[in-house]
Amino acid sequence: MSAPTDRKFLGRLSLPERRHLTDALRTETVGGVLLLVAAVVALIWANTFHDGYEAVSDFHFGPAALGLNLSVEHWAADGLLAVFFFVAGVELKRELVAGELRDPRAAALPVVAALCGMATPALVYVLVNTVGGGSLDGWAVPTATDIAFALAVLAVIGTSLPSSLRAFLLTLAVVDDLFAILIIAVFFTSDLNFAALGGAFAGLALFWFLLRKEVRGWYVYVPLALVIWGLMYNSGVHATIAGVAMGLMLRCTTREGEEHSPGEHVEHLVRPLSAGLAVPLFALFSAGVVVSGGALRDVFTQPVTLGVVLGLVVGKAVGIFGGTWLTARFTRAKLNPELSWPDVFAVSVLAGIGFTVSLLIGELAFADDPALADEVKAAVLMGSLIAAALACLLIKLRVRKYQLLVTEEDRDEDGDGIPDVYEEGTEAYHLRMAEIHERKAAEHRERARLAGAPSDGADRPA
């Protein structure tokens, strides 16, 4: 039996994975920029026209007979974020069957890193609040990573990360979303309405059955999804869980004759709605906290808010980097020689941006204390801002190296749409390159002949 070979950690992605990553991150980056804009607008609106902001956020509408007469803020958090979590469910399913999480050995490193990156911030929060005598209810707030916000930071500073680092960040966020979903389902479920919960499960079963029978048509699935969401909301389980469940049911493997799986097709259609509308609107009605000198000072002096900030900034970086290093140290995973451990640490710091899900968990954890919930939101904003600034600094220190790596990844001298790094060493690639070089030489000789000067010895008279 041959000995197991070393696996390269943060090595080159396969071409299909690289293309999927590029498409997904392009949408998330645009959505992240919109998310940043929405957060800034919310802060300006709440601090200049606070009464107007509160009036819009608290405006109720919806069918009261169905238990859905909700405020605008609740519709954004419970309704629109279900779309976000639906996309997260599809992405998780794709990662499990066709992506980085398909191979248990390869999945071990990002899974352990994500778990450590959630456990350590929670421990930091608990430690700070145990020593300071604060509330332990917010332990889950600093455990989340916001991939859209993180990518928006990269877009704003104009830095290109190598695809392997971006894939690591995306995989971390996917696993992070999974455990955040479990946290919401287990720890933030109110008194259960078993009739509504049974109806939601029946709806999910019908959704699954229709998918297995390959019934097509948005007019079938969208109304059914709305019914499932409404029943899940009334059951006491957070309504976003319905989105995740439906996302996980989609088939994300291709069959013969299919270019894309149904899951990838639906994700391609819904992701822009999630990144471009659902998440920015949630940010608009959740990030509007009143910020003053005293409020900012309190963020660093009260144990609850200080625990959130330190959890995001310190806990995330230490947890993800430590989990990654320990997994690589005690397994056969070897770091890509083109990268170094400071690169992993920079991504770990970047993962401390915990905007969307952290804000949601903060609202759920302190639903009975709106004033404290607003302080926690301010702490999430501050912690995410500090993590973003530190990550930008660390990435800028290596920006020249990253630019060279990305340029090499994207090089396509033969113009066939496939980066050369995926073709080098193949006979077809060398034949194409020889043809390209011969054509360039012929063009050079022709230009020289027209200019009346010999291009090489072959054109000189005897």
Side-chain angles (χ1 to χ4, degrees):
M1 185 189 308
S2 60
T5 58
D6 292 341
R7 289 182 295 103
K8 185 185 292 185
F9 164 51
L10 294 181
R12 185 191 308 159
L13 302 176
S14 66
L15 186 57
E17 278 296 295
R18 187 176 187 273
R19 285 174 169 167
H20 174 81
L21 177 75
T22 301
D23 291 341
L25 296 188
R26 184 182 297 114
T27 304
E28 290 290 358
T29 301
V30 174
V33 173
L34 294 175
L35 176 63
L36 285 174
V37 172
V40 171
V41 170
L43 288 170
I44 294 173
W45 188 4
N47 285 273
T48 55
F49 304 101
H50 183 68
D51 291 342
Y53 181 83
E54 288 293 319
V56 174
S57 297
D58 293 339
F59 179 76
H60 281 64
F61 67 96
L66 300 178
L68 296 175
N69 184 27
L70 310 178
S71 67
V72 170
E73 183 179 359
H74 275 118
W75 275 113
D78 295 326
L80 290 177
L81 274 197
V83 179
F84 166 80
F85 279 104
F86 172 79
V87 174
V90 177
E91 184 63 34
L92 176 62
K93 178 69 172 290
R94 204 203 70 82
E95 287 288 328
L96 288 170
V97 300
E100 292 291 301
L101 304 180
R102 175 182 54 190
D103 179 3
R105 291 182 304 166
L109 197 145
V111 168
V112 171
L115 283 172
C116 292
M118 299 186 78
T120 308
L123 289 174
V124 169
Y125 177 93
V126 169
L127 178 62
V128 170
N129 282 271
T130 299
V131 173
S135 171
L136 299 181
D137 293 342
W139 63 271
V141 174
T143 60
T145 293
D146 193 311
I147 183 65
F149 204 150
L151 292 171
V153 169
L154 292 177
V156 169
I157 65 174
T159 299
S160 294
L161 278 183
S163 59
S164 56
L165 283 174
R166 288 175 176 260
F168 182 57
L169 180 61
L170 180 62
T171 306
L172 277 175
V174 169
V175 179
D176 195 293
D177 285 342
L178 170 63
F179 289 105
I181 291 159
L182 294 175
I183 288 172
I184 292 171
V186 173
F187 296 99
F188 298 106
T189 294
S190 56
D191 295 336
L192 291 177
N193 180 331
F194 287 100
L197 186 61
F201 277 118
L204 288 171
L206 178 58
F207 191 89
W208 177 85
F209 177 78
L210 293 174
L211 288 173
R212 297 287 79 77
K213 293 298 182 181
E214 299 186 353
V215 175
R216 299 180 182 274
W218 63 268
Y219 46 83
V220 174
Y221 292 102
V222 172
L224 178 58
L226 292 174
V227 171
I228 294 170
W229 175 86
L231 289 168
M232 191 69 76
Y233 178 85
N234 282 285
S235 72
V237 177
H238 199 269
T240 54
I241 304 301
V244 178
M246 287 183 279
L248 286 170
M249 290 181 184
L250 293 179
R251 176 169 61 83
C252 291
T253 53
T254 56
R255 293 175 179 170
E256 186 176 354
E258 288 182 339
E259 184 177 356
H260 301 289
S261 68
E264 288 176 304
H265 177 67
V266 172
E267 180 189 4
H268 180 73
L269 294 175
V270 178
R271 187 183 285 275
L273 175 64
S274 168
L277 181 66
V279 174
L281 281 179
F282 168 76
L284 180 64
F285 293 108
S286 294
V289 294
V290 177
V291 178
S292 63
L296 293 177
R297 184 180 62 252
D298 291 344
V299 166
F300 297 99
T301 56
Q302 295 185 14
V304 170
T305 50
L306 180 61
V308 170
V309 172
L310 291 179
L312 289 171
V313 177
V314 179
K316 274 287 183 183
V318 172
I320 292 174
F321 181 81
T324 304
W325 186 85
L326 287 173
T327 306
R329 172 68 177 81
F330 293 106
T331 67
R332 302 189 68 85
K334 301 297 181 185
L335 184 64
N336 183 349
E338 294 180 338
L339 300 170
S340 63
W341 284 109
D343 300 320
V344 180
F345 184 72
V347 173
S348 303
V349 174
L350 188 64
I353 300 175
F355 192 77
T356 305
V357 180
S358 289
L359 289 176
L360 176 62
I361 294 177
E363 290 182 358
L364 297 174
F366 300 102
D368 297 331
D369 191 343
L372 186 54
D374 282 346
E375 293 173 1
V376 168
K377 289 180 183 179
V380 170
L381 294 173
M382 183 59 65
S384 298
L385 181 62
I386 294 173
L390 290 175
C392 287
L393 176 62
L394 294 172
I395 291 171
K396 280 292 186 183
L397 294 175
R398 294 271 289 170
V399 66
R400 193 176 300 276
K401 176 68 173 178
Y402 294 153
Q403 288 172 343
L404 291 174
L405 290 174
V406 171
T407 300
E408 181 62 20
E409 283 183 359
D410 294 337
R411 180 169 54 85
D412 184 17
E413 291 187 17
D414 56 353
D416 64 348
I418 300 175
D420 293 342
V421 292
Y422 293 96
E423 298 181 295
E424 291 172 349
T426 65
E427 183 178 354
Y429 172 76
H430 289 300
L431 287 173
R432 283 199 303 273
M433 294 306 297
E435 291 173 359
I436 290 170
H437 292 153
E438 177 57 31
R439 186 171 66 249
K440 288 181 177 178
E443 290 172 355
H444 173 70
R445 289 194 297 270
E446 180 63 16
R447 284 196 301 269
R449 186 185 67 80
L450 293 174
S455 61
D456 53 35
D459 291 326
R460 291 191 178 98

